[in-house]
């Protein structure tokens, strides 16, 4: 497993990230959870993967989950509708007690299912999934996310052909369904962030971190960074991950065509 020593953190680094969380992400989460705006999505029939010729590079899709079996099912179905077909799905069940694992085993026998005996949080779950991945590329999705554009994975893969780019992705939400969000470190020392917004008229934009509710990265780069810091149970792991990528000189990209709908489920990521 990835170690704190390999990642090379210190307490001052973590203080910076914690300050960012308190000033930005918590406010966004609260506004979205309080919103009553709903989005109606059209459902498409699942297409067997063997009906379309596989692309060359494999993508390992890693989805940590905790007590979200219905939302997880919607997430999985959205993956099947993607035009890019050379992928594997790895579900990391973080000790759910809502029957998630038995349902996944029965309905999706081709999915690789990992189950924690105790809840260890999203960072640990993502790292465990990555260690078991065989793809050259890793796509991290939250279990309450949904890929709503059929070419999202293909666009992300093509963007990552540029070796200067670390991650690509972005999320939209029920409050602003026509905008894909990334974020920039406005002032690292005092912990302030600014949003980077992409709409259908925008070219892909550089940001400092991509939300890991929908984030693709080359596996080699993920290992180079040492994975997610398990110190950040939730939230903050995506802010920290982007911070370390930018320190190493990588660019992070948010793109409208890559955006996933993040539903910000009220179901917790960790036991309360």
């Amino acid at each position: 497993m990835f170690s704190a020593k390999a990642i090379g953190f210190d307490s001052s680094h973590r203080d910076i990230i914690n300050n960012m969380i308190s000033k930005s992400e918590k406010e966004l989460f609260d506004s979205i959870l309080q919103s009553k705006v709903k989005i109606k999505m059209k459902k498409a029939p699942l297409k067997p993967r063997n009906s379309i010729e596989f692309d060359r590079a494999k993508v390992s899709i890693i989805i940590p989950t905790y007590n979200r079996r219905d939302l997880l099912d919607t997430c999985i179905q959205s993956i099947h509708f993607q035009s890019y077909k050379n992928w594997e799905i790895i579900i990391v069940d973080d000790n759910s007690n809502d029957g998630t694992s038995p349902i996944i085993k029965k309905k999706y026998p081709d999915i690789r299912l990992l189950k924690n005996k105790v809840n260890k949080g999203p960072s640990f779950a993502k790292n465990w999934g990555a260690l078991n991945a065989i793809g050259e590329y890793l796509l991290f999705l939250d279990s309450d996310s949904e890929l709503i554009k059929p070419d999202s994975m293909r666009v992300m893969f093509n963007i990552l052909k540029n070796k200067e780019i670390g991650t690509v992705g972005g999320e939209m939400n029920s409050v602003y369904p026509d905008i894909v969000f990334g974020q920039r470190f406005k002032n690292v020392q005092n912990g302030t962030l600014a949003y980077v917004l992409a709409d259908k008229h925008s070219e892909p934009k550089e940001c400092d971190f991509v939300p890991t509710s929908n984030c693709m990265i080359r596996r080699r780069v993920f290992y180079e960074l040492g994975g997610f810091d398990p110190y950040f149970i939730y939230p903050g792991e995506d802010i920290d991950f982007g911070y370390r990528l930018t320190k190493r000189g990588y660019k992070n990209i948010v793109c409208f065509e890559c955006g996933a709908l993040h539903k910000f489920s009220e179901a917790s990521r960790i036991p309360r």
Side-chain angles (χ1 to χ4, degrees), residues 119-124 229-237 269-270:
N119 185 286
K120 296 185 177 181
S123 292
F124 182 93
D229 182 1
Y231 166 83
F232 295 100
I233 302 297
Y234 175 81
E237 73 276 13
R269 279 113 169 129
I270 56 176

Side-chain angles (χ1 to χ4, degrees), residues 32 39 43 63 84 101 114 135 139 155 189 191 211 241:
I32 291 171
I39 296 179
K43 297 296 180 184
I63 310 174
Y84 196 91
S101 287
L114 307 175
L139 173 59
V155 173
Q189 296 306 316
F241 196 72

Side-chain angles (χ1 to χ4, degrees), residues 128-163:
W128 191 20
L131 283 171
N132 285 273
I134 62 175
E136 299 171 52
Y137 295 80
L138 307 177
L139 173 59
F140 294 98
L141 290 175
D142 280 0
S143 53
D144 58 349
S145 292
E146 181 178 354
L147 296 171
I148 60 174
K149 297 179 176 63
D151 292 326
S152 290
M153 284 178 58
R154 188 178 298 278
V155 173
M156 284 190 273
F157 170 74
N158 286 332
I159 289 175
L160 281 177
K161 289 179 179 178
N162 182 340
K163 303 302 183 184

Side-chain angles (χ1 to χ4, degrees), residues 38-46 61-64 68-82 89 108 139-153 156 169-174 176-177 179-181 211-215 255-265 269:
K38 303 294 182 182
I39 296 179
K40 293 183 179 180
M41 305 301 301
K42 292 182 178 180
K43 297 296 180 184
L46 301 186
I61 304 167
I62 300 166
I63 310 174
R68 291 178 177 170
R69 64 183 189 186
D70 295 332
L71 287 169
L72 175 61
D73 186 63
T74 301
C75 178
I76 293 170
Q77 291 188 45
S78 75
I79 295 168
H80 280 84
F81 189 51
Q82 288 293 297
I89 299 177
Y108 302 104
L139 173 59
F140 294 98
L141 290 175
D142 280 0
S143 53
D144 58 349
S145 292
E146 181 178 354
L147 296 171
I148 60 174
K149 297 179 176 63
D151 292 326
S152 290
M153 284 178 58
M156 284 190 273
E171 66 183 18
M172 55 188 69
N173 57 58
S174 60
Y176 303 106
I179 298 175
V180 176
F181 290 82
T212 49
S213 58
N214 174 42
C215 174
C255 171
F256 180 76
E257 294 301 323
C258 303
L261 174 64
H262 190 193
K263 301 171 185 177
F264 287 89
S265 169
R269 279 113 169 129

Side-chain angles (χ1 to χ4, degrees), residues 27-251:
E27 294 178 4
L28 175 62
F29 295 152
D30 290 343
S31 68
I32 291 171
L33 291 176
Q34 292 170 7
S35 172
K36 296 182 180 180
V37 178
K38 303 294 182 182
I39 296 179
K40 293 183 179 180
M41 305 301 301
K42 292 182 178 180
K43 297 296 180 184
L46 301 186
K47 298 181 180 180
R49 285 203 287 163
N50 58 12
S51 67
I52 299 179
E53 183 178 351
F54 277 16
D55 298 271
R56 181 174 298 177
K58 181 176 283 293
V59 177
S60 294
I61 304 167
I62 300 166
I63 310 174
T65 191
Y66 177 68
N67 288 344
R68 291 178 177 170
R69 64 183 189 186
D70 295 332
L71 287 169
L72 175 61
D73 186 63
T74 301
C75 178
I76 293 170
Q77 291 188 45
S78 75
I79 295 168
H80 280 84
F81 189 51
Q82 288 293 297
S83 63
Y84 196 91
K85 296 296 178 180
N86 191 10
W87 44 256
E88 64 167 349
I89 299 177
I90 301 173
I91 303 293
V92 185
D93 182 355
D94 209 6
N95 197 34
S96 298
N97 54 26
D98 66 345
T100 291
S101 287
I103 290 173
I104 294 300
K105 284 182 180 179
K106 182 177 181 179
K107 189 170 182 178
Y108 302 104
D110 60 329
I111 285 179
R112 299 173 64 193
L113 179 64
L114 307 175
K115 184 172 174 57
N116 284 334
K117 294 182 178 180
V118 296
N119 185 286
K120 296 185 177 181
S123 292
F124 182 93
K126 292 170 187 173
N127 287 345
W128 191 20
L131 283 171
N132 285 273
I134 62 175
E136 299 171 52
Y137 295 80
L138 307 177
L139 173 59
F140 294 98
L141 290 175
D142 280 0
S143 53
D144 58 349
S145 292
E146 181 178 354
L147 296 171
I148 60 174
K149 297 179 176 63
D151 292 326
S152 290
M153 284 178 58
R154 188 178 298 278
V155 173
M156 284 190 273
F157 170 74
N158 286 332
I159 289 175
L160 281 177
K161 289 179 179 178
N162 182 340
K163 303 302 183 184
E164 294 181 353
I165 294 174
T167 60
V168 60
E171 66 183 18
M172 55 188 69
N173 57 58
S174 60
V175 181
Y176 303 106
D178 298 319
I179 298 175
V180 176
F181 290 82
Q183 288 191 306
R184 181 176 295 281
F185 305 125
K186 188 175 181 180
N187 188 317
V188 172
Q189 296 306 316
N190 67 17
T192 56
L193 297 167
Y195 289 106
V196 177
L197 310 178
D199 61 24
K200 62 183 179 181
H201 304 294
S202 305
E203 294 292 324
K205 293 184 177 182
E206 185 175 350
C207 60
D208 286 326
F209 74 90
V210 174
T212 49
S213 58
N214 174 42
C215 174
M216 186 181 286
I217 185 171
R218 291 185 297 280
R219 185 176 64 170
R220 177 188 60 78
V221 177
F222 184 83
Y223 272 71
E224 178 185 328
L225 260 70
F228 293 100
D229 182 1
Y231 166 83
F232 295 100
I233 302 297
Y234 175 81
E237 73 276 13
D238 46 4
I239 302 176
D240 165 74
F241 196 72
Y243 180 83
R244 286 186 284 133
L245 276 167
T246 57
K247 293 281 282 186
R248 286 179 176 263
Y250 287 106
K251 298 178 181 179

Side-chain angles (χ1 to χ4, degrees), residues 14-29:
R14 289 170 170 167
D15 288 343
I16 289 172
I17 304 302
N18 280 326
N19 199 21
M20 290 180 182
I21 296 168
S22 64
K23 290 190 176 182
S24 178
E25 287 217 336
K26 289 181 179 178
E27 294 178 4
L28 175 62
F29 295 152

